[in-house]
Amino acid sequence: MSDYSVLPVPPMSIRFDQAAGTLSPAGPELTRRMSDLEGLFLDQNAWRTAVADGDPIVYSVVSSLVPEADRELPQSITTIQPGSTGGEFWMTKGHQHPNHQGEIYLGISGRGGLLMFDGTDTRWVDMTPGTIGYIPPGWAHRSVNVGGKPYSFLAVYPGGAGHDYGWVLEYGLGQRVWRQDDGVAFGGYFAEASS
Ligand code: PA5
Ligand code: MN
């Protein structure tokens, strides 16, 4: 696996291959399996069953060489596999940036959504190829694959923003995103919690 560039990062060009969903030169790649999403799906029994039943890869994140360092501007491509657990679409863990700063996502392929929550209000942005979703400072965010194929998007964010995953475990993300027939249905985040 490649590592990030050392500081200071030199001026460079980064090739973004839309069809392949890659960045090159590439930095580190992260893979999140079902077991990494503990406590995030509402149906914990369905989650346990999925972990026991092969612990599938839910999403992967490939980064460019630009490190998560203050004043740098890292980029990454996330690809979420299609699927649902207990009826809830596969998704990223979701996080808050403790150092509140904005971020943009660009839809590359597949059908997804960007769920945002500021602790009070919830917003959903449909993400298709070419859509830029804007995440304002202070809004926790999660991506969801609502289609039948992999959903990929490019993220560009301030390197000093940090990632707080505990925030989402404590406060949630405002809404759940459920598979319903061929569509999407939204529900309360904690309301229906059972186990
Ligand atoms: O910076 C971002 O918001 C993205 O690159 C995410 O980190 C990525 O989509 C993976 O999601 P998470 O960090 O919630 O696991
Ligand atoms: Mn982010």
Side-chain angles (χ1 to χ4, degrees), residues 56-77:
I57 291 174
V58 178
Y59 62 99
S60 58
V61 185
V62 291
S63 302
S64 77
L65 293 180
V66 180
E68 291 184 347
D70 203 23
R71 300 192 298 149
E72 300 291 343
L73 204 53
Q75 319 92 42
S76 61
I77 293 178

Side-chain angles (χ1 to χ4, degrees), residues 32 59 61 76 78 92-95 97 103 105 141 153 155 157 163 165:
R32 297 268 200 227
Y59 62 99
V61 185
S76 61
T78 300
T92 59
K93 293 174 70 166
H95 57 266
H97 293 294
E103 177 165 13
Y105 285 178
H141 42 284
F153 64 92
Y157 57 102
H163 288 79
Y165 292 94

